[in-house]
């Protein structure tokens, strides 16, 4: 199961940053979102353990101001990500040492969407005139995110 459907993914890139994408970008985008979600959740588990929680609570999620702004932007785009798809991605990833609280699970689709908005808008930062991301653009943007998330 993918986080975004193919047509939703194309529309998302267009609405978020006026970029055109193709099927090759779909796999890159899905892999990127899945990986960053796993990274975020692994850190959240560490936070939850340090805070003495027996499950990952919303306050354990490492949400920066910039990511919160991207989550808010995702909400205003009117896009959605399936909670079931997100939970499936979580179940396929590295097993978490703590379960996710129900409230935390409910936040995950918006967080995935926010990460997506941040990624898409980063292409414009890397190249303001970009219309269609190429492999080199994906590489640059993902390397930046790897430094930050």
């Amino acid at each position: 199961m993918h986080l975004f459907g193919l047509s939703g993914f194309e529309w998302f890139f267009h609405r978020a940053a006026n970029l055109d994408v193709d099927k090759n970008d779909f796999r890159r985008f899905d892999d990127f979102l899945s990986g960053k979600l796993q990274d975020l959740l692994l850190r959240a588990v560490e936070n939850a353990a340090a805070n003495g929680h027996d499950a990952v609570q919303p306050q354990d999620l490492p949400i920066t101001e910039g990511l919160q702004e991207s989550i808010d932007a995702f909400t205003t785009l009117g896009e959605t990500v399936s909670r079931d798809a997100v939970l499936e991605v979580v179940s396929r990833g590295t097993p978490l040492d703590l379960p996710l609280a129900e409230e935390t699970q409910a936040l995950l689709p918006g967080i995935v969407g926010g990460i997506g908005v941040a990624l898409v808008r980063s292409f414009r930062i890397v190249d303001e005139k970009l219309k269609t991301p190429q492999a080199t653009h994906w590489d640059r943007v993902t390397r930046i995110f790897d430094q930050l998330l």
Side-chain angles (χ1 to χ4, degrees), residues 75-124:
T75 302
T76 62
L77 287 174
E79 299 290 329
T80 60
V81 175
S82 162
R83 182 175 174 174
D84 290 340
V86 172
L87 293 176
E88 182 180 316
V89 166
V90 171
S91 72
R92 288 189 320 236
T94 304
L96 302 174
D97 291 339
L98 293 174
L100 302 174
E102 183 66 30
E103 299 85 3
T104 303
Q105 291 179 29
L107 296 174
L108 295 182
I111 292 169
V112 168
I115 293 170
V117 167
L119 171 76
V120 172
R121 291 182 174 171
S122 294
F123 284 109
R124 286 281 182 209

Side-chain angles (χ1 to χ4, degrees), residues 40 43-45 47-49 51 53 55-63 104:
L40 184 133
R43 182 68 198 140
V45 166
N47 291 344
N51 292 329
H53 299 152
V56 176
Q57 301 298 321
Q59 63 268 26
D60 298 319
L61 295 166
I63 306 297
T104 303

Side-chain angles (χ1 to χ4, degrees), residues 21-35:
V21 289
D22 62 26
K23 292 178 184 176
N24 293 326
D25 297 316
F26 179 67
R27 184 173 163 274
R28 288 181 182 124
F29 185 60
D30 199 62
D31 289 348
F32 174 84
L33 290 178
S34 298

